[in-house]
Amino acid sequence: RPAAAGSVMTTPVWSQQQPLQQQQQQQQVLADKSTREYLVSLEGALESKLAEVQYGGGEYGSTEDDDTLSLVANVLREVKGQETIVACDKIAERVLETALPLLSRRQAAGLAATLFEANPLVKAKQQQKQRVPLRELLLNPFASRLMEKVLDQAGGGATGAEADPDAAEEGGCLQRFCEFLARLDEDGWAELVSDANASHVLRKLIEVLSGVPSVSASERQRQRQPRNAQAQQQHRSPRPEAYGRLLTSAMTYMVDRLGCQLRQLAVEPNASAMLQDALCALHGFRPALASLLADRLARALDPPDDQKEDGAMSVLELAKNPCASHLLEQIIATASPALYISLSGRWLRHHAAELAADRVGNHVLQRAVTCAPDAGQLGMLVDELAPAASEVLASSPGVLWQLALACQRYTQLQRRFCVSLHTTLLQQRKRREEAETEQKLPGGAAVLFSELLGEPPCMYVRSQLGQALLGFDLASAPQVASAARALPAAYIRRIAADAAGSRFVEALVHSPFLADAERQRFLVRLKGGWTALALDSYGSHVVSTCYSVGEAKVKQTIARELIAGEQEVAAAFPHGPRLLRLCNVQQFKAQFPKWAAQAKRADTARNTFHDIITPDARSTKEGEENQQQQEEEKDQAHDVEKKDNVEQEENAEEDKKDNGEDDKDDIDQLFALAHSAGSERNGKKKAPAPRPTVDPAELNKRGKKKKKKKQAGGEDASNTSVAEVAAPAVDKNMSTVLAALGHAKKGANPRKRKQVEPPAKREKKKPKFCMM
């Protein structure tokens, strides 16, 4: 391993190893000839059965086919007693690996127990010769591959059912392996961790115990790319609590045994990847323990001055190392807020600018920016990078991009960041003017974005930095607002046809730095270039975005220009026909009134719900005043409604009282009429009951109330006096009087309705008998 420049490293015992090819020749173990031939004869049948399970949608280890079960039983019977030798054989291990997915969980657990048995209790000397030590199995390239598969199948299926006997066997296998690791000394741990084969088995053990999948080196490099910087957190599968205890004990033993060798192991690719997986796995379900492990690793990588060795690599040199930088990133991401403050003070203060300018170290700084726990730590990084913003922008603009995204959470830092970036770009523009006579980039207030993006082709990271600036608060970033309004139309057309520039233009159109009226004026300035943008694959997205936010006049301008070059746009497949369909060009030509009506309705809806969907910061005060006025109007309406309700209740009480008196008079009149009618029907000549006399003052009062009811909405027919309707029917029988009374209460005219006859008496039906 080449040492870093300016450092002297001592070569440990575990690094004095022979070449890999020579190790494989020494470790190569051949299985019995008859066993190899028999396993090779079964390889074709095993592959066909495996293909049936894969393409048939079945689960591994759950097949009930008799042929498959017998085939697997034959393989296990053949390798019984010599599993470790078969695992080290190149050809026999391949056949056993093919049969492994067809094993049941119990069979896989038994095979794992045989492979990971550290001290087998074998009495026969002949059987002891057929046993390969576990350490050699881990270092063997073929056996280590089989052990990874066995761990994945035997231990990866447990989700918390510790009472299951299969799960108990799997847990026992893993526990025996962890006990073997606990008995290793410093050199043994260092040998396994730095070995290419054994480290993969250890990483698979961490994945099985934690449920967090390990990340390959290529995946880590891919996550460092700007397009994948905002990677999502990995999914963690549930695991039993016993698995967590095993993982905790194994990682604790590892850190205790390695100790001072961690600084040298950090630059080893295999050891660094294993330590990263350990931190990530512990952080998934035990963050406090992961923070303690990160603290111990940080102390080992950066010990106090009195404990440092001569010529040892500093943290700054480790951050510039391709392998150690990944480990430092994971330590920062796993650290608790208190540990982060301590690490940032020791590692980043007075070194942030140097790390930002390095090709590898800038990724460590980016992770520190994204994991900053509060505004104080982020403000320290802003102050550290402000004097060197020009160099950082030229070497690694991704640091400024992540810093801008982090500043979106704290408005008090946005002004400081914008001022430092704007000052840097102005200085860059002055140097450009001194060196060049002709300037193509716009100047003035638009320098912030013109110098940031430059001429096409634009850098993806710089475009993302510009989009992050558009996400700042309007009051905290006046430089961004003035630059967004001052960009000329010619420059917008040039960058809109670029892959990265088009994304910035789309974000600018939707940004709150342009009010609705300013946005429409911005779109009007682009008149005359819509067809050219529609022919470009990236510019077509800008055209569709502008069409969606534009008013009816802007949409009409875009549609007319697209119709003028319709043939060329339609030939630009596939984005051209799609754009014509989104802009409703065919409807514009065939049914213009309908198209105009739809555009007008869209404008009305946008203007109506503009304050709700896209609130503008500058109209906040007006919105509050309107809201206050609406609340006052609601209060006034509520008071008026309350008064009306009180008046209605008073009127209802008076009406109820009057109606009660009227009902009492009606009942008295009814009984009098019924008495006279009944007496006449019985042939008794009695003097008719005197007609009730009513006081004229009472009649006058009732007349006024009826007049009020007529003015309010008509007279209720149900309040008609019973005497008025029933008086002509005095000479009739009782049924006629009751019928007249029913007409009066229903509000109908009794002269136009049919006379209701009294119901006839029902004849009693004779009981019917049936003969049995």
Side-chain angles (χ1 to χ4, degrees):
R1 183 179 69 256
S7 63
V8 179
M9 297 182 59
T10 59
T11 304
V13 177
W14 50 266
S15 66
Q16 299 175 357
Q17 299 176 354
Q18 298 174 351
L20 181 61
Q21 184 177 3
Q22 187 175 357
Q23 291 182 29
Q24 293 179 1
Q25 292 178 359
Q26 293 180 356
Q27 296 174 359
Q28 186 175 5
V29 180
L30 296 179
D32 185 46
K33 184 178 180 181
S34 60
T35 303
R36 293 179 61 188
E37 291 177 355
Y38 181 74
L39 292 178
V40 170
S41 64
L42 298 178
E43 185 177 7
L46 290 172
E47 291 179 351
S48 62
K49 294 296 182 181
L50 184 61
E52 292 179 3
V53 175
Q54 290 177 348
Y55 294 106
E59 297 182 359
Y60 291 151
S62 61
T63 178
E64 298 180 357
D65 186 15
D66 295 336
D67 296 339
T68 304
L69 296 177
S70 62
L71 191 62
V72 170
N74 292 335
V75 173
L76 294 178
R77 190 182 305 109
E78 184 66 25
V79 301
K80 185 178 181 180
Q82 52 180 351
E83 291 89 346
T84 57
I85 297 179
V86 172
C88 295
D89 188 274
K90 180 178 180 181
I91 298 176
E93 184 273 334
R94 183 184 63 196
V95 180
L96 188 58
E97 184 179 345
T98 305
L100 186 61
L102 300 176
L103 302 180
S104 63
R105 288 184 60 186
R106 184 180 294 275
Q107 293 173 338
L111 181 60
T114 305
L115 293 176
F116 289 97
E117 186 66 44
N119 297 317
L121 300 176
V122 183
K123 297 181 179 180
K125 296 183 179 180
Q126 185 178 2
Q127 293 181 0
Q128 289 181 359
K129 294 181 180 179
Q130 297 178 355
R131 176 74 195 184
V132 179
L134 181 56
R135 173 183 168 278
E136 296 183 8
L137 288 176
L138 294 173
L139 298 175
N140 187 276
F142 311 115
S144 62
R145 179 181 176 87
L146 180 63
M147 296 172 81
E148 284 188 65
K149 301 290 184 180
V150 169
L151 279 177
D152 194 11
Q153 183 169 351
T159 58
E162 296 187 2
D164 188 5
D166 294 343
E169 291 185 8
E170 296 161 5
C173 160
L174 298 174
Q175 184 175 0
R176 286 191 292 270
F177 187 29
C178 292
E179 291 175 355
F180 164 77
L181 296 176
R183 289 192 294 269
L184 292 176
D185 57 357
E186 180 180 352
D187 294 334
W189 266 106
E191 182 183 17
L192 295 182
V193 167
S194 60
D195 186 74
N197 302 315
S199 62
H200 282 80
V201 181
L202 294 178
R203 294 174 64 183
K204 179 58 68 174
L205 175 66
I206 293 173
E207 178 182 346
V208 169
L209 293 178
S210 65
V212 179
S214 59
V215 182
S216 61
S218 59
E219 180 66 18
R220 287 193 177 92
Q221 292 294 338
R222 191 190 70 83
Q223 290 179 0
R224 276 188 169 183
Q225 297 177 5
R227 297 178 185 270
N228 307 315
Q230 306 296 327
Q232 297 182 356
Q233 190 176 3
Q234 294 179 345
H235 174 70
R236 175 183 174 269
S237 302
R239 287 292 185 267
E241 186 64 25
Y243 281 19
R245 292 191 294 269
L246 290 176
L247 178 62
T248 303
S249 61
M251 295 302 101
T252 305
Y253 287 136
M254 179 190 65
V255 176
D256 291 340
R257 299 296 190 276
L258 292 176
C260 60
Q261 292 194 20
L262 286 172
R263 191 185 304 109
Q264 298 176 358
L265 291 173
V267 297
E268 283 286 332
N270 302 313
S272 176
M274 204 275 293
L275 293 174
Q276 293 171 51
D277 288 348
L279 286 173
C280 184
L282 288 176
H283 186 64
F285 66 102
R286 291 191 177 180
L289 184 59
S291 181
L292 292 177
L293 180 60
D295 187 17
R296 301 190 65 174
L297 289 175
R299 293 178 183 274
L301 296 177
D302 185 24
D305 296 337
D306 55 347
Q307 299 180 6
K308 286 185 178 180
E309 300 177 358
D310 296 337
M313 297 179 66
S314 63
V315 176
L316 193 61
E317 293 175 344
L318 291 175
K320 297 179 182 180
N321 185 276
C323 298
S325 61
H326 287 283
L327 180 58
L328 292 179
E329 286 186 51
Q330 193 62 44
I331 290 175
I332 293 173
T334 312
S336 61
L339 179 59
Y340 179 92
I341 295 174
S342 176
L343 295 179
S344 63
R346 287 185 294 167
W347 295 357
L348 302 179
R349 191 178 296 275
H350 309 304
H351 301 293
E354 184 178 357
L355 286 176
D358 187 73
R359 181 180 63 87
V360 178
N362 73 88
H363 295 287
V364 179
L365 187 59
Q366 291 184 37
R367 181 58 65 91
V369 168
T370 56
C371 297
D374 51 21
Q377 298 300 316
L378 193 61
M380 184 268 292
L381 296 177
V382 171
D383 296 338
E384 287 279 335
L385 296 175
S390 179
E391 292 78 7
V392 175
L393 185 62
S395 59
S396 53
V399 176
L400 297 180
W401 172 32
Q402 296 297 329
L403 197 59
L405 290 177
C407 288
Q408 290 181 356
R409 305 193 301 266
Y410 309 103
T411 56
Q412 64 270 26
L413 299 177
Q414 295 177 6
R415 183 180 296 275
R416 292 160 58 184
F417 181 80
C418 288
V419 169
S420 61
L421 183 61
H422 189 251
T423 304
T424 301
L425 295 175
L426 284 177
Q427 295 175 358
Q428 181 177 340
R429 183 54 181 264
K430 290 181 181 179
R431 291 194 297 267
R432 188 189 299 273
E433 291 177 353
E434 294 175 358
E436 301 178 3
T437 57
E438 183 180 359
Q439 291 291 334
K440 296 182 180 180
L441 296 176
V447 170
L448 179 61
F449 287 134
S450 62
E451 289 293 330
L452 182 62
L453 298 174
E455 286 291 337
C458 304
M459 291 181 61
Y460 176 81
V461 181
R462 288 177 174 245
S463 174
Q464 292 293 326
L465 175 57
Q467 297 176 46
L469 291 176
L470 292 174
F472 281 7
D473 187 61
L474 183 61
S476 303
Q479 299 88 355
V480 178
S482 58
R485 302 187 190 103
L487 284 173
Y491 181 71
I492 292 294
R493 294 193 192 98
R494 291 203 302 270
I495 65 174
D498 182 69
S502 61
R503 296 178 181 271
F504 171 78
V505 176
E506 291 185 55
L508 179 62
V509 171
H510 289 290
S511 67
F513 290 94
L514 295 178
D516 190 47
E518 295 175 348
R519 185 177 293 107
Q520 303 305 323
R521 289 195 295 268
F522 173 80
L523 298 178
V524 169
R525 284 189 296 160
L526 299 179
K527 180 181 179 180
W530 299 115
T531 304
L533 290 177
L535 296 176
D536 186 77
S537 59
Y538 303 109
S540 62
H541 294 281
V542 178
V543 176
S544 61
T545 302
C546 295
Y547 183 87
S548 62
V549 301
E551 293 181 350
K553 295 182 180 179
V554 177
K555 292 181 179 180
Q556 186 174 354
T557 303
I558 296 175
R560 291 187 184 279
E561 293 189 17
L562 292 179
I563 291 174
E566 184 177 2
Q567 295 182 354
E568 299 177 358
V569 175
F573 187 82
H575 56 275
R578 171 182 169 276
L579 182 62
L580 294 176
R581 184 173 61 256
L582 290 176
C583 297
N584 293 331
V585 173
Q586 297 298 330
Q587 187 182 19
F588 183 85
K589 294 191 301 181
Q591 301 175 352
F592 179 76
K594 185 176 180 180
W595 182 92
Q598 291 181 358
K600 186 176 180 180
R601 286 196 299 270
D603 292 346
T604 304
R606 183 173 60 253
N607 295 332
T608 303
F609 299 102
H610 181 266
D611 294 336
I612 301 175
I613 300 174
T614 56
D616 192 357
R618 288 169 291 185
S619 62
T620 305
K621 187 175 181 180
E622 298 178 359
E624 293 178 354
E625 294 178 355
N626 295 335
Q627 185 177 2
Q628 185 177 2
Q629 185 178 359
Q630 292 178 0
E631 291 178 355
E632 292 177 357
E633 293 178 355
K634 288 182 179 179
D635 295 339
Q636 294 177 1
H638 181 69
D639 295 339
V640 173
E641 184 179 359
K642 189 175 181 180
K643 292 180 180 179
D644 295 341
N645 293 335
V646 172
E647 293 179 358
Q648 291 179 2
E649 290 177 358
E650 294 177 354
N651 295 333
E653 291 179 357
E654 294 179 359
D655 294 341
K656 186 176 180 181
K657 185 177 180 180
D658 297 338
N659 293 334
E661 296 176 357
D662 295 342
D663 293 341
K664 185 177 181 181
D665 297 339
D666 294 342
I667 291 171
D668 295 339
Q669 297 176 14
L670 176 61
F671 273 102
L673 293 173
H675 178 73
S676 61
S679 300
E680 184 177 354
R681 184 182 58 185
N682 294 332
K684 297 179 180 180
K685 296 182 179 179
K686 291 184 178 181
R691 189 169 183 174
T693 59
V694 184
D695 189 11
E698 186 69 20
L699 290 176
N700 190 15
K701 184 178 179 181
R702 292 183 183 181
K704 289 182 179 180
K705 288 183 179 181
K706 291 181 180 180
K707 189 175 182 181
K708 285 183 179 180
K709 291 181 181 179
K710 287 182 179 180
Q711 293 176 357
E715 182 180 4
D716 188 4
S718 63
N719 293 328
T720 306
S721 177
V722 178
E724 296 177 3
V725 179
V730 174
D731 298 334
K732 297 183 180 179
N733 56 10
M734 182 66 179
S735 61
T736 306
V737 177
L738 293 175
L741 180 61
H743 289 305
K745 290 298 181 182
K746 292 181 180 179
N749 190 351
R751 296 180 181 179
K752 293 184 179 181
R753 290 178 63 93
K754 294 181 179 180
Q755 187 174 357
V756 180
E757 297 291 342
K761 295 183 179 180
R762 295 182 181 179
E763 298 179 357
K764 294 183 179 181
K765 295 183 179 180
K766 297 180 180 180
K768 295 182 180 180
F769 298 96
C770 60
M771 300 297 296
M772 297 297 295

